[in-house]
């Protein structure tokens, strides 16, 4: 069955995450700060009047980078090491009919910047530029369920230690002094603590040099003795 209602972006999400690799697999896992910018048709303070009473909001969004690849009935969740298949509706896979995702994020405030209504948020697991199709307040009495069972994802993922080379320490001090990335160290630390590598890489020696793109920086790191070692940062032109 299809319906005629036209879904459109009500906002765009602006985040430090410039590529999919490295983005946490759920919200609230890394200290990312960003904002949700209402699109012209919805760009009215009246549309968000009352929202600052809430500490958290739901973002419904489109996995726009994966839409072209369609969806499959079963998927292999990274949580299960990529070895086991589950039904798409039993997972948070990004390859799904209609390509819709949802995340709870912290709301810090609402400001008008250059004429645009911006919701200041943190903890999102969204790529920069992700189209937001709806925004709703998070309502604890109903949305938080104390005795809920979390299936294969009952516990938060295990974290690994993150260490920095002397060069990386100096570069982080330099780039953190900029207005655009004051939270750089905690962002790198919390992103890499998730160990974003594919599951099959984790079981054996892995000498590969990895890169994640945060803000306008490429962060180079590798795994050394089970810890993430940040080697250096490079500014993207
Ligand atoms: N919390 C949401 C949910 O459960 O619907 C998203 C979960 S999904 C597993 C999170 C992953 O989606 C991120 O790690 C990132 O790789 C991917 N992602 C984020 N924004 C995306 C976008 N706009 N298009 C495609 N993939 C995206």
């Amino acid at each position: 069955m299809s319906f005629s209602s036209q879904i459109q972006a009500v906002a765009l999400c602006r985040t430090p995450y410039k590529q999919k690799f490295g983005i946490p697999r759920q919200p609230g896992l890394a200290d990312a700060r960003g904002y949700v910018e209402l699109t012209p048709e919805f760009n009215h303070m009246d549309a968000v009047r009352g929202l600052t009473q809430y500490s958290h909001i739901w973002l419904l969004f489109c996995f726009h980078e994966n839409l072209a690849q369609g969806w499959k009935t079963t998927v292999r969740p990274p949580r299960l090491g990529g070895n086991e298949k589950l039904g798409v509706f039993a997972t948070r896979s990004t390859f799904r009919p209609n390509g819709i995702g949802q995340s709870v994020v912290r709301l810090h405030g609402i400001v008008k910047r250059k004429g645009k209504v911006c919701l200041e948020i943190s903890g999102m697991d969204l790529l920069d530029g992700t189209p937001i199709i709806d925004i709703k307040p998070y309502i604890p009495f109903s949305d938080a369920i104390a005795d809920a069972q979390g299936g294969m994802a009952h516990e938060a993922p295990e974290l690994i230690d993150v260490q920095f080379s002397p060069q990386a320490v100096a570069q982080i001090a330099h780039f953190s002094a900029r207005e655009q990335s004051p939270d750089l160290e905690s962002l790198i630390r919390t992103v890499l603590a998730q160990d974003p590598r594919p599951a099959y890489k984790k079981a054996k020696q892995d000498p590969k040099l990895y890169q994640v793109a945060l803000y306008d920086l490429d962060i180079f790191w590798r795994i050394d003795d089970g810890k993430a070692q940040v080697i250096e940062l490079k500014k993207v032109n």
Side-chain angles (χ1 to χ4, degrees):
M1 186 184 94
S2 62
F3 34 71
S4 57
S5 164
Q6 189 83 25
I7 291 185
Q8 56 184 323
V10 301
L12 291 183
C13 197
R14 295 295 175 197
T15 82
Y17 300 125
K18 307 300 177 191
Q19 66 182 24
K20 285 182 284 182
F21 178 63
I23 303 179
R25 297 198 173 110
Q26 285 303 333
L29 296 173
D31 294 336
R33 297 289 293 238
Y35 57 95
V36 169
E37 182 182 276
L38 299 187
T39 49
E41 190 177 341
F42 305 94
N43 189 34
H44 308 289
M45 274 294 188
D46 273 351
V48 288
R49 190 192 300 177
L51 194 60
T52 53
Q53 295 169 28
Y54 298 87
S55 64
H56 292 77
I57 54 175
W58 283 104
L59 297 178
L60 299 174
F61 60 92
C62 177
F63 290 114
H64 72 306
E65 285 268 311
N66 291 359
L67 282 180
Q69 291 160 74
W71 66 281
K72 291 202 180 97
T73 315
T74 57
V75 296
R76 295 174 189 271
R79 269 279 182 151
L80 299 177
N83 300 320
E84 212 177 307
K85 284 186 176 180
L86 291 181
V88 63
F89 298 129
T91 74
R92 298 294 191 96
S93 169
T94 61
F95 301 97
R96 47 198 320 118
N98 299 317
I100 292 175
Q102 93 272 12
S103 295
V104 174
V105 299
R106 180 173 278 278
L107 177 65
H108 296 272
I110 301 179
V111 295
K112 211 161 190 186
R113 207 177 286 138
K114 293 185 182 162
K116 292 179 180 170
V117 177
C118 295
L119 281 53
E120 295 175 322
I121 59 166
S122 66
M124 61 280 169
D125 53 349
L126 277 65
L127 190 65
D128 186 39
T130 295
I132 305 294
I133 57 173
D134 208 349
I135 301 165
K136 301 186 188 194
Y138 174 86
I139 300 174
F141 88 83
S142 153
D143 292 349
I145 300 170
D147 63 347
Q149 292 299 307
M152 62 164 171
H154 193 68
E155 305 289 343
E158 277 182 27
L159 303 179
I160 60 171
D161 281 346
V162 181
Q163 298 180 337
F164 298 87
S165 71
Q167 185 184 2
V169 170
Q171 290 177 312
I172 288 171
H174 171 72
F175 289 119
S176 301
R178 306 180 306 173
E179 196 185 341
Q180 72 191 93
S181 51
D183 57 346
L184 188 59
E185 185 189 336
S186 68
L187 181 60
I188 295 173
R189 202 178 274 289
T190 50
V191 162
L192 297 189
Q194 315 288 318
D195 192 353
R197 294 176 301 156
Y200 71 90
K201 289 278 193 179
K202 298 183 186 177
K204 46 189 177 187
Q205 279 290 97
D206 182 10
K208 183 175 167 175
L209 185 65
Y210 289 92
Q211 167 259 338
V212 295
L214 301 175
Y215 295 111
D216 57 346
L217 302 166
D218 281 337
I219 319 296
F220 291 90
W221 59 282
R222 61 164 56 96
I223 292 289
D224 188 8
D225 199 18
K227 300 174 180 135
Q229 179 78 29
V230 182
I231 311 294
E232 64 171 331
L233 285 61
K234 281 190 184 156
K235 193 165 181 309
V236 181
N237 296 319

mmCIF file with all atom_site columns, all heavy atoms in Angstrom, residues 132-143:
data_model
loop_
_atom_site.group_PDB
_atom_site.id
_atom_site.type_symbol
_atom_site.label_atom_id
_atom_site.label_alt_id
_atom_site.label_comp_id
_atom_site.label_asym_id
_atom_site.label_entity_id
_atom_site.label_seq_id
_atom_site.pdbx_PDB_ins_code
_atom_site.Cartn_x
_atom_site.Cartn_y
_atom_site.Cartn_z
_atom_site.occupancy
_atom_site.B_iso_or_equiv
_atom_site.pdbx_formal_charge
_atom_site.auth_seq_id
_atom_site.auth_comp_id
_atom_site.auth_asym_id
_atom_site.auth_atom_id
_atom_site.pdbx_PDB_model_num
ATOM 1   N N   . ILE A 1 132 ? 16.241 15.809 8.251  1.00 0.00 ? 132 ILE A N   1
ATOM 2   C CA  . ILE A 1 132 ? 15.370 15.493 9.393  1.00 0.00 ? 132 ILE A CA  1
ATOM 3   C C   . ILE A 1 132 ? 13.928 15.592 8.897  1.00 0.00 ? 132 ILE A C   1
ATOM 4   O O   . ILE A 1 132 ? 13.533 16.616 8.326  1.00 0.00 ? 132 ILE A O   1
ATOM 5   C CB  . ILE A 1 132 ? 15.591 16.511 10.542 1.00 0.00 ? 132 ILE A CB  1
ATOM 6   C CG1 . ILE A 1 132 ? 17.077 16.577 10.938 1.00 0.00 ? 132 ILE A CG1 1
ATOM 7   C CG2 . ILE A 1 132 ? 14.702 16.190 11.732 1.00 0.00 ? 132 ILE A CG2 1
ATOM 8   C CD1 . ILE A 1 132 ? 17.638 15.327 11.550 1.00 0.00 ? 132 ILE A CD1 1
ATOM 9   N N   . ILE A 1 133 ? 13.146 14.529 9.136  1.00 0.00 ? 133 ILE A N   1
ATOM 10  C CA  . ILE A 1 133 ? 11.765 14.573 8.629  1.00 0.00 ? 133 ILE A CA  1
ATOM 11  C C   . ILE A 1 133 ? 10.749 14.870 9.737  1.00 0.00 ? 133 ILE A C   1
ATOM 12  O O   . ILE A 1 133 ? 9.600  15.184 9.440  1.00 0.00 ? 133 ILE A O   1
ATOM 13  C CB  . ILE A 1 133 ? 11.392 13.273 7.875  1.00 0.00 ? 133 ILE A CB  1
ATOM 14  C CG1 . ILE A 1 133 ? 11.565 12.047 8.761  1.00 0.00 ? 133 ILE A CG1 1
ATOM 15  C CG2 . ILE A 1 133 ? 12.224 13.157 6.603  1.00 0.00 ? 133 ILE A CG2 1
ATOM 16  C CD1 . ILE A 1 133 ? 11.040 10.774 8.097  1.00 0.00 ? 133 ILE A CD1 1
ATOM 17  N N   . ASP A 1 134 ? 11.162 14.786 11.000 1.00 0.00 ? 134 ASP A N   1
ATOM 18  C CA  . ASP A 1 134 ? 10.284 15.237 12.082 1.00 0.00 ? 134 ASP A CA  1
ATOM 19  C C   . ASP A 1 134 ? 11.101 15.414 13.362 1.00 0.00 ? 134 ASP A C   1
ATOM 20  O O   . ASP A 1 134 ? 12.168 14.805 13.514 1.00 0.00 ? 134 ASP A O   1
ATOM 21  C CB  . ASP A 1 134 ? 9.138  14.242 12.332 1.00 0.00 ? 134 ASP A CB  1
ATOM 22  C CG  . ASP A 1 134 ? 7.885  14.926 12.892 1.00 0.00 ? 134 ASP A CG  1
ATOM 23  O OD1 . ASP A 1 134 ? 7.970  16.111 13.277 1.00 0.00 ? 134 ASP A OD1 1
ATOM 24  O OD2 . ASP A 1 134 ? 6.822  14.273 12.949 1.00 0.00 ? 134 ASP A OD2 1
ATOM 25  N N   . ILE A 1 135 ? 10.589 16.245 14.244 1.00 0.00 ? 135 ILE A N   1
ATOM 26  C CA  . ILE A 1 135 ? 11.220 16.538 15.536 1.00 0.00 ? 135 ILE A CA  1
ATOM 27  C C   . ILE A 1 135 ? 10.111 16.436 16.580 1.00 0.00 ? 135 ILE A C   1
ATOM 28  O O   . ILE A 1 135 ? 9.026  16.992 16.384 1.00 0.00 ? 135 ILE A O   1
ATOM 29  C CB  . ILE A 1 135 ? 11.784 17.986 15.542 1.00 0.00 ? 135 ILE A CB  1
ATOM 30  C CG1 . ILE A 1 135 ? 12.821 18.166 14.429 1.00 0.00 ? 135 ILE A CG1 1
ATOM 31  C CG2 . ILE A 1 135 ? 12.344 18.349 16.914 1.00 0.00 ? 135 ILE A CG2 1
ATOM 32  C CD1 . ILE A 1 135 ? 13.153 19.626 14.122 1.00 0.00 ? 135 ILE A CD1 1
ATOM 33  N N   . LYS A 1 136 ? 10.382 15.686 17.669 1.00 0.00 ? 136 LYS A N   1
ATOM 34  C CA  . LYS A 1 136 ? 9.360  15.561 18.718 1.00 0.00 ? 136 LYS A CA  1
ATOM 35  C C   . LYS A 1 136 ? 10.030 15.591 20.079 1.00 0.00 ? 136 LYS A C   1
ATOM 36  O O   . LYS A 1 136 ? 11.166 15.137 20.223 1.00 0.00 ? 136 LYS A O   1
ATOM 37  C CB  . LYS A 1 136 ? 8.622  14.218 18.607 1.00 0.00 ? 136 LYS A CB  1
ATOM 38  C CG  . LYS A 1 136 ? 7.930  13.994 17.293 1.00 0.00 ? 136 LYS A CG  1
ATOM 39  C CD  . LYS A 1 136 ? 7.121  12.710 17.335 1.00 0.00 ? 136 LYS A CD  1
ATOM 40  C CE  . LYS A 1 136 ? 6.578  12.397 15.951 1.00 0.00 ? 136 LYS A CE  1
ATOM 41  N NZ  . LYS A 1 136 ? 5.532  11.361 15.985 1.00 0.00 ? 136 LYS A NZ  1
ATOM 42  N N   . PRO A 1 137 ? 9.329  16.095 21.106 1.00 0.00 ? 137 PRO A N   1
ATOM 43  C CA  . PRO A 1 137 ? 9.903  16.045 22.454 1.00 0.00 ? 137 PRO A CA  1
ATOM 44  C C   . PRO A 1 137 ? 9.985  14.602 22.952 1.00 0.00 ? 137 PRO A C   1
ATOM 45  O O   . PRO A 1 137 ? 9.123  13.778 22.632 1.00 0.00 ? 137 PRO A O   1
ATOM 46  C CB  . PRO A 1 137 ? 8.919  16.862 23.299 1.00 0.00 ? 137 PRO A CB  1
ATOM 47  C CG  . PRO A 1 137 ? 7.664  16.943 22.522 1.00 0.00 ? 137 PRO A CG  1
ATOM 48  C CD  . PRO A 1 137 ? 7.999  16.750 21.070 1.00 0.00 ? 137 PRO A CD  1
ATOM 49  N N   . TYR A 1 138 ? 11.050 14.315 23.710 1.00 0.00 ? 138 TYR A N   1
ATOM 50  C CA  . TYR A 1 138 ? 11.197 13.016 24.387 1.00 0.00 ? 138 TYR A CA  1
ATOM 51  C C   . TYR A 1 138 ? 10.432 13.105 25.707 1.00 0.00 ? 138 TYR A C   1
ATOM 52  O O   . TYR A 1 138 ? 10.654 14.022 26.508 1.00 0.00 ? 138 TYR A O   1
ATOM 53  C CB  . TYR A 1 138 ? 12.685 12.753 24.637 1.00 0.00 ? 138 TYR A CB  1
ATOM 54  C CG  . TYR A 1 138 ? 12.955 11.508 25.449 1.00 0.00 ? 138 TYR A CG  1
ATOM 55  C CD1 . TYR A 1 138 ? 13.066 10.262 24.841 1.00 0.00 ? 138 TYR A CD1 1
ATOM 56  C CD2 . TYR A 1 138 ? 13.121 11.585 26.835 1.00 0.00 ? 138 TYR A CD2 1
ATOM 57  C CE1 . TYR A 1 138 ? 13.326 9.127  25.596 1.00 0.00 ? 138 TYR A CE1 1
ATOM 58  C CE2 . TYR A 1 138 ? 13.377 10.449 27.587 1.00 0.00 ? 138 TYR A CE2 1
ATOM 59  C CZ  . TYR A 1 138 ? 13.477 9.224  26.953 1.00 0.00 ? 138 TYR A CZ  1
ATOM 60  O OH  . TYR A 1 138 ? 13.733 8.099  27.687 1.00 0.00 ? 138 TYR A OH  1
ATOM 61  N N   . ILE A 1 139 ? 9.542  12.152 25.924 1.00 0.00 ? 139 ILE A N   1
ATOM 62  C CA  . ILE A 1 139 ? 8.673  12.195 27.111 1.00 0.00 ? 139 ILE A CA  1
ATOM 63  C C   . ILE A 1 139 ? 9.041  11.022 28.027 1.00 0.00 ? 139 ILE A C   1
ATOM 64  O O   . ILE A 1 139 ? 8.713  9.868  27.738 1.00 0.00 ? 139 ILE A O   1
ATOM 65  C CB  . ILE A 1 139 ? 7.190  12.101 26.679 1.00 0.00 ? 139 ILE A CB  1
ATOM 66  C CG1 . ILE A 1 139 ? 6.874  13.281 25.752 1.00 0.00 ? 139 ILE A CG1 1
ATOM 67  C CG2 . ILE A 1 139 ? 6.275  12.108 27.895 1.00 0.00 ? 139 ILE A CG2 1
ATOM 68  C CD1 . ILE A 1 139 ? 5.497  13.236 25.148 1.00 0.00 ? 139 ILE A CD1 1
ATOM 69  N N   . PRO A 1 140 ? 9.783  11.305 29.118 1.00 0.00 ? 140 PRO A N   1
ATOM 70  C CA  . PRO A 1 140 ? 10.347 10.218 29.932 1.00 0.00 ? 140 PRO A CA  1
ATOM 71  C C   . PRO A 1 140 ? 9.312  9.244  30.478 1.00 0.00 ? 140 PRO A C   1
ATOM 72  O O   . PRO A 1 140 ? 9.563  8.035  30.472 1.00 0.00 ? 140 PRO A O   1
ATOM 73  C CB  . PRO A 1 140 ? 11.056 10.942 31.080 1.00 0.00 ? 140 PRO A CB  1
ATOM 74  C CG  . PRO A 1 140 ? 11.197 12.358 30.646 1.00 0.00 ? 140 PRO A CG  1
ATOM 75  C CD  . PRO A 1 140 ? 10.156 12.631 29.620 1.00 0.00 ? 140 PRO A CD  1
ATOM 76  N N   . PHE A 1 141 ? 8.161  9.716  30.938 1.00 0.00 ? 141 PHE A N   1
ATOM 77  C CA  . PHE A 1 141 ? 7.242  8.779  31.610 1.00 0.00 ? 141 PHE A CA  1
ATOM 78  C C   . PHE A 1 141 ? 6.786  7.680  30.659 1.00 0.00 ? 141 PHE A C   1
ATOM 79  O O   . PHE A 1 141 ? 6.480  6.572  31.074 1.00 0.00 ? 141 PHE A O   1
ATOM 80  C CB  . PHE A 1 141 ? 6.042  9.522  32.229 1.00 0.00 ? 141 PHE A CB  1
ATOM 81  C CG  . PHE A 1 141 ? 4.866  9.702  31.294 1.00 0.00 ? 141 PHE A CG  1
ATOM 82  C CD1 . PHE A 1 141 ? 3.938  8.684  31.112 1.00 0.00 ? 141 PHE A CD1 1
ATOM 83  C CD2 . PHE A 1 141 ? 4.724  10.874 30.574 1.00 0.00 ? 141 PHE A CD2 1
ATOM 84  C CE1 . PHE A 1 141 ? 2.867  8.847  30.238 1.00 0.00 ? 141 PHE A CE1 1
ATOM 85  C CE2 . PHE A 1 141 ? 3.656  11.045 29.707 1.00 0.00 ? 141 PHE A CE2 1
ATOM 86  C CZ  . PHE A 1 141 ? 2.725  10.028 29.541 1.00 0.00 ? 141 PHE A CZ  1
ATOM 87  N N   . SER A 1 142 ? 6.798  7.983  29.378 1.00 0.00 ? 142 SER A N   1
ATOM 88  C CA  . SER A 1 142 ? 6.310  7.005  28.426 1.00 0.00 ? 142 SER A CA  1
ATOM 89  C C   . SER A 1 142 ? 7.426  6.412  27.555 1.00 0.00 ? 142 SER A C   1
ATOM 90  O O   . SER A 1 142 ? 7.411  5.232  27.218 1.00 0.00 ? 142 SER A O   1
ATOM 91  C CB  . SER A 1 142 ? 5.252  7.694  27.559 1.00 0.00 ? 142 SER A CB  1
ATOM 92  O OG  . SER A 1 142 ? 5.159  7.122  26.328 1.00 0.00 ? 142 SER A OG  1
ATOM 93  N N   . ASP A 1 143 ? 8.428  7.226  27.222 1.00 0.00 ? 143 ASP A N   1
ATOM 94  C CA  . ASP A 1 143 ? 9.485  6.755  26.308 1.00 0.00 ? 143 ASP A CA  1
ATOM 95  C C   . ASP A 1 143 ? 10.557 5.930  27.028 1.00 0.00 ? 143 ASP A C   1
ATOM 96  O O   . ASP A 1 143 ? 11.221 5.095  26.398 1.00 0.00 ? 143 ASP A O   1
ATOM 97  C CB  . ASP A 1 143 ? 10.156 7.944  25.610 1.00 0.00 ? 143 ASP A CB  1
ATOM 98  C CG  . ASP A 1 143 ? 9.212  8.648  24.633 1.00 0.00 ? 143 ASP A CG  1
ATOM 99  O OD1 . ASP A 1 143 ? 8.139  8.088  24.353 1.00 0.00 ? 143 ASP A OD1 1
ATOM 100 O OD2 . ASP A 1 143 ? 9.541  9.746  24.153 1.00 0.00 ? 143 ASP A OD2 1
#
